[in-house]
Amino acid sequence: MRNLLFVLSRRWVMLTGILGIYSLPLVAQHDPVQPYQGKIGKTLRETTLWAPEKEKAPKDAPNIIWILLDDVGFGASSAFGGLIETLTIDALANNGLRYTNFHTTGLCTPTRAALLTGRNAHSVGMGHHADFSIGAPGYSGEIPFEAGTVAEIFRENGYNTYALGKWHSTHPDIATAAGPYNRWPTGRGFDHFYGFVSGSTDQWHPQLVEENNPINIEPNTHHLNELLTNKAISYIANQKSADAEKPFFLYFAPGATHAPHQVAKEWSDRYRGKFDQGWDKYREAVFKRQQALGLLPRNAVLPPRQTGVKAWETLTADEKKVFARFMEVYAGFLSYTDYEIGRIVSYLKQNDLLNNTLIVLMIGDNGGSKEGTYTGTIGFADKSQGEDISFLLSQYDKIGTEYTAPNYPLGWSQATNTPFRYWKSDVNAEGASHNPLILYYPNRIKEKGLRTQYSHVVDILPTTIELTGVKNPDFINGYQQRPIQGISLVYSIADAKAATRHTIQYYELHGGRSIYKDGWKASVYHPRNMFGEAKVTDINFNPPDFSQDRWELYNLNEDWTETKDLVASNPQKLEELKALFDREADVNKVYPLRNFKEGVVAPEVHAKTVIYQGTTTKTRVPVGKGSVSIISAIELPKQNAEGVIFANGGLQGGTSLYILNGKLHYTLTDGIKEVTLTSTTPLVAGKNTIRIDFTNTSAVVLSVNNQHAAEQSIASKTKYLASIASEGISVGKDLNAPVSKVYPGPYPFTGIVSKIVIEQKVEPTN
């Protein structure tokens, strides 16, 4: 009878999965047929039934929550001395362990790959963003199946597994409706996924995916953090109601606090005037708080302000005003994120689940962001406004709203990275990779306080495995697994003075590199035209040859904040560490070194792309330098024709073709100014052809049924059409952030869009 029920249940799952009713697997991924251990007779009475036992988690195994915040420096949260209030994080830290010497890879995608697999990022093909992959093993942009993820491991051990928020671990070429889906979250061990697959998204109008299907939530009135938290709580509630004893693994990775810094004014306004003293005073105040909390070695000193960042007191009144507002919004964003994390913690506590839950909280996948440049950015398609303080000031009240996509200036980045130098992606310095870590697990971790052992993001997976007592399988889905490279931190939990076991660690990002061994660190800064070295608009910047890079040497045991370069006094140690870097680079597939985006193959531009009727998601289309034509074949109803025919981009830049009040309009926006072409040629019920031509003479022409309808001169088509390649073009409605507020998004078209054809003049490559 048991076998019959098992077979029927499997058939039901197959059927309902096809119908889209139910998609949760009932068995682990690796479920080979086992030799039958019963006895088959001619009748049931003569038969000894047998069914294999399904894998179960160890008795009383804890629930697990990994929380990974984005672009948060060491000195941002109040839990680590920062001036931004994080009450939930403070409570977890005060009742658990603070690790003050924890490190990430310095950039989001490599950190996530290292975290999920317990292996160094280059060794699993993620030496940089998957978007910037090249034909080299360390930069393939695809995590191999031989490097199983935490979800694959824990699902093999009887856990349910959930991922929410930012993924950013799938190559863009397969992050489309064409798949394949085996490298999406649900293909790498997660039962459910709800979030976004790219590196960032609008917090008010997110590009969300559920499982592997893009979903449209417009018109949306909720912040992304709230949506993610609601979904996380529903996953937990549903699973525990179905099987109270079965543990879950929850990977919670909100887009916060990566740009765009967007949050309700009730949160940003809590910090009105709190940062008027500027980034220099902020650094000094936070450094003192960190000293008082014992987070720093007693001999640590505060490094000087980073080259290029102006002293706050030298800024104009307008600069101070707008720069302070950028930080108020960022602080509100972080505090609000903390509040939403608190909702999850409160739910667990209310339902007696908290004590048996291991929470691993990583405050940042790297240091504070450098993408805001020296003045901060609003995020519009028109990048020329970035250094115009009067323009930034004119947008003052919009910073943090859906009308802007801001990022704070570099001065605030270094401030939130206190006490370290540099910022995100510059792995020559601690500011890129030195992040806070908190372990909280009431049933097992009774100790509280600080831990100073050197650790790295690859250590989180083996730590979690040891704390939970699960098995690390040799094979997953038939793939023999590579050894995990991280080292469990469990040895340090009960012994604050235990000697560090993670004694060697390399770092590399777009040519910058460093090597750590037993407290010594050799590093090299490799200049590049990226967010701060030269002006963002300086396309003629040529990075020097790698052979010209100058190495530095620091003894972190005596100089935690890297203020004393010891190359001159200890050249032998430098050579020793450089040789060690070479060995680690060979083992982990770091070579070849490359400059930012060097070697990345641009997406192929097709002379003709057809988007067919019925598409419900955005379709990305690479746009080249030549002329571009977008032809829409539509069918109009006899009455009440209205809605968006196609749209790309949003309030910060893009285009939309739509019918409003009986007239055809084509709106282009760079986020600052809207330009609208309106047709005087009447549309007729039935079939119509609408053509938009972006010519090489810097003009856009609108035609209806082969008749010229309107024309407008433009400076450049790129700022209007770039989002077709990066975000995609939606057909029959305006998905996510609407391009214009003259209509209510998504404003679906009441007729039929038979197809959209994009024709391009493909210029020959040299």
Side-chain angles (χ1 to χ4, degrees):
M1 187 65 176
R2 181 180 176 186
N3 274 358
L4 178 60
L5 291 173
F6 178 73
V7 170
L8 290 174
S9 68
R10 288 297 294 269
R11 288 181 177 175
W12 169 246
V13 170
M14 290 174 64
L15 174 62
T16 53
I18 292 171
L19 296 176
I21 302 170
Y22 188 79
S23 60
L24 180 63
L26 291 182
V27 295
Q29 311 164 252
H30 186 56
D31 190 30
V33 175
Q34 299 182 30
Y36 189 72
Q37 297 178 31
K39 177 185 176 183
I40 300 296
K42 290 186 177 181
T43 67
L44 186 59
R45 291 183 178 182
E46 298 173 306
T47 299
T48 302
L49 297 177
W50 175 86
E53 291 293 327
K54 295 304 169 185
E55 189 69 49
K56 291 185 177 180
K59 182 177 174 55
D60 298 325
N63 306 303
I64 305 163
I65 300 180
W66 281 6
I67 301 171
L68 179 64
L69 301 187
D70 202 332
D71 287 7
V72 186
F74 190 89
S77 70
S78 52
F80 281 77
L83 303 185
I84 302 174
E85 189 175 73
T86 51
L87 299 180
T88 301
I89 296 174
D90 290 358
L92 294 173
N94 292 337
N95 292 281
L97 294 174
R98 285 179 175 90
Y99 281 79
T100 64
N101 208 359
F102 176 70
H103 294 76
T104 57
T105 71
L107 195 64
C108 45
T109 297
T111 288
R112 288 159 209 276
L115 172 66
L116 291 170
T117 67
R119 288 112 172 157
N120 286 316
H122 293 80
S123 74
V124 295
M126 289 290 192
H128 209 290
H129 294 318
D131 319 45
F132 301 154
S133 63
I134 59 174
Y139 307 92
S140 67
E142 296 183 344
I143 298 175
F145 297 115
E146 291 80 2
T149 70
V150 59
E152 289 169 323
I153 292 170
F154 276 83
R155 199 158 86 174
E156 293 289 343
N157 282 274
Y159 275 70
N160 281 126
T161 54
Y162 311 118
L164 295 112
K166 178 173 172 175
W167 179 245
H168 209 199
S169 300
T170 298
H171 196 283
D173 286 352
I174 62 173
T176 71
Y181 296 110
N182 56 351
R183 296 185 190 275
W184 289 53
T186 51
R188 294 310 309 258
F190 287 101
D191 294 327
H192 287 306
F193 171 68
Y194 182 84
F196 54 101
V197 296
S198 58
S200 63
T201 194
D202 191 289
Q203 299 293 307
W204 296 117
H205 303 282
Q207 290 188 280
L208 287 177
V209 169
E210 188 158 20
E211 318 307 14
N212 52 25
N213 297 307
I215 56 175
N216 176 36
I217 61 170
E218 300 298 337
N220 177 49
T221 58
H222 302 280
H223 193 279
L224 176 58
N225 279 350
E226 181 184 0
L227 297 172
L228 296 175
T229 300
N230 290 347
K231 185 66 74 171
I233 291 173
S234 73
Y235 284 158
I236 297 169
N238 292 341
Q239 188 249 4
K240 288 298 181 182
S241 297
D243 188 344
E245 301 302 317
K246 189 174 184 179
F248 64 81
F249 171 82
L250 176 70
Y251 173 45
F252 190 77
T257 55
H258 193 291
H261 299 161
Q262 296 169 320
V263 71
K265 284 195 173 185
E266 65 178 280
W267 287 95
S268 56
D269 285 354
R270 292 184 180 194
Y271 290 95
R272 285 279 188 179
K274 297 288 182 68
F275 303 110
D276 288 354
Q277 80 279 11
W279 46 61
D280 295 321
K281 294 295 184 183
Y282 181 101
R283 293 181 68 225
E284 293 170 4
V286 170
F287 188 75
K288 290 179 180 178
R289 287 164 59 95
Q290 291 171 336
Q291 287 178 313
L293 290 169
L295 299 172
L296 314 178
R298 291 185 177 181
N299 60 358
V301 298
L302 185 64
R305 188 188 320 105
Q306 205 67 36
T307 302
V309 176
K310 295 180 180 179
W312 185 263
E313 291 306 315
T314 67
L315 301 177
T316 67
D318 285 349
E319 287 174 324
K320 289 179 180 179
K321 181 178 179 179
V322 72
F323 293 172
R325 185 56 182 165
F326 275 118
M327 187 58 179
E328 290 167 5
V329 170
Y330 176 81
F333 192 16
L334 181 55
S335 287
Y336 172 59
T337 303
D338 174 85
Y339 167 81
E340 291 294 344
I341 293 171
R343 287 180 56 212
I344 298 175
V345 174
S346 294
Y347 180 83
L348 295 173
K349 186 175 182 179
Q350 292 165 6
N351 291 278
D352 298 323
L353 297 170
L354 185 58
N355 285 343
N356 198 37
T357 298
L358 165 63
I359 298 178
V360 180
L361 173 57
M362 294 152 279
I363 308 178
D365 52 0
N366 43 244
S369 170
K370 66 188 294 185
E371 286 98 326
T373 72
Y374 291 112
T375 59
T377 57
I378 299 295
F380 296 135
D382 188 346
K383 305 299 183 185
S384 64
Q385 301 287 344
E387 297 176 4
D388 185 342
I389 300 301
S390 62
F391 169 74
L392 293 177
L393 195 60
S394 73
Q395 303 297 309
Y396 182 90
D397 290 330
K398 295 180 181 178
I399 298 175
T401 71
E402 64 178 329
Y403 296 99
T404 60
N407 201 344
Y408 57 25
L410 278 163
W412 289 120
S413 180
Q414 188 180 14
T416 59
N417 287 338
T418 302
F420 302 116
R421 300 184 305 139
Y422 284 87
W423 28 61
K424 172 182 178 179
S425 83
D426 291 331
V427 293
N428 57 294
E430 294 290 289
S433 60
H434 201 137
N435 289 95
L437 167 68
I438 296 168
L439 295 185
Y440 174 88
Y441 180 11
N443 277 2
R444 174 73 184 274
I445 300 177
K446 306 298 183 181
E447 297 79 8
K448 301 176 183 178
L450 304 179
R451 294 295 181 269
T452 60
Q453 289 83 1
Y454 188 93
S455 56
H456 188 266
V457 66
V458 295
D459 300 334
I460 299 301
L461 177 55
T463 300
T464 306
I465 288 173
E466 185 173 352
L467 282 173
T468 56
V470 303
K471 302 172 185 176
N472 185 21
D474 294 327
F475 288 84
I476 295 177
N477 287 337
Y479 293 93
Q480 185 168 8
Q481 296 296 290
R482 299 176 183 175
I484 288 177
Q485 294 176 295
I487 298 170
S488 171
L489 289 168
V490 173
Y491 75 91
S492 66
I493 289 176
D495 186 359
K497 296 182 179 180
T500 294
R501 295 184 182 178
H502 193 135
T503 59
I504 297 174
Q505 184 60 48
Y506 82 91
Y507 299 85
E508 190 279 336
L509 277 173
H510 29 64
R513 49 211 186 272
S514 64
I515 181 72
Y516 170 92
K517 184 178 187 298
D518 296 327
W520 285 89
K521 179 180 175 183
S523 60
V524 60
Y525 174 77
H526 185 71
R528 56 200 174 279
N529 182 21
M530 177 188 175
F531 316 128
E533 290 79 6
K535 289 184 178 181
V536 175
T537 54
D538 183 4
I539 61 175
N540 297 315
F541 178 82
N542 292 311
D545 186 84
F546 290 103
S547 63
Q548 301 176 34
D549 289 341
R550 179 187 174 277
W551 284 82
E552 299 172 357
L553 177 67
Y554 299 98
N555 183 350
L556 300 185
N557 295 322
E558 300 176 359
D559 180 21
W560 211 52
T561 55
E562 303 171 299
T563 61
K564 300 176 183 177
D565 183 1
L566 303 177
V567 167
S569 61
N570 204 336
Q572 184 177 351
K573 174 62 73 172
L574 175 62
E575 293 306 314
E576 172 191 323
L577 290 175
K578 287 169 65 176
L580 178 60
F581 179 86
D582 274 341
R583 290 195 294 273
E584 290 295 301
D586 285 337
V587 168
N588 290 284
K589 304 179 177 64
V590 173
Y591 294 129
L593 299 177
R594 59 170 178 154
N595 295 301
F596 180 59
K597 291 190 178 182
E598 183 181 16
V600 177
V601 178
E604 183 180 359
V605 176
H606 298 281
K608 183 178 181 179
T609 303
V610 180
I611 304 174
Y612 292 94
Q613 173 182 341
T615 180
T616 58
T617 184
K618 289 186 172 182
T619 302
R620 292 198 300 266
V621 180
V623 176
K625 296 180 180 180
S627 59
V628 178
S629 299
I630 307 174
I631 302 101
S632 304
I634 66 172
E635 293 184 32
L636 283 184
K638 293 181 179 179
Q639 296 179 340
N640 301 321
E642 65 175 9
V644 172
I645 297 168
F646 75 80
N648 62 279
L651 293 171
Q652 280 82 50
T655 76
S656 177
L657 178 67
Y658 57 96
I659 298 175
L660 180 65
N661 297 326
K663 291 186 177 182
L664 178 69
H665 307 274
Y666 186 54
T667 292
L668 305 91
T669 180
D670 58 10
I672 303 165
K673 181 181 178 181
E674 286 190 4
V675 175
T676 299
L677 287 74
T678 300
S679 172
T680 57
T681 303
L683 296 168
V684 297
K687 295 183 179 181
N688 291 263
T689 300
I690 304 166
R691 183 182 181 100
I692 298 164
D693 291 294
F694 287 85
T695 70
N696 283 332
T697 57
S698 298
V700 57
V701 179
L702 174 65
S703 303
V704 178
N705 297 326
N706 296 319
Q707 295 184 34
H708 182 279
E711 185 171 341
Q712 177 71 45
S713 297
I714 57 174
S716 167
K717 75 175 190 296
T718 303
K719 61 184 177 181
Y720 301 119
L721 298 185
S723 59
I724 293 181
S726 60
E727 299 177 22
I729 185 171
S730 55
V731 176
K733 62 184 67 174
D734 189 348
L735 295 172
N736 306 112
V739 172
S740 176
K741 282 295 187 179
V742 300
Y743 55 77
Y747 199 42
F749 184 49
T750 56
I752 297 173
V753 182
S754 299
K755 63 181 176 181
I756 301 289
V757 179
I758 301 178
E759 297 178 346
Q760 301 189 61
K761 180 180 180 181
V762 181
E763 297 184 347
T765 56
N766 296 328

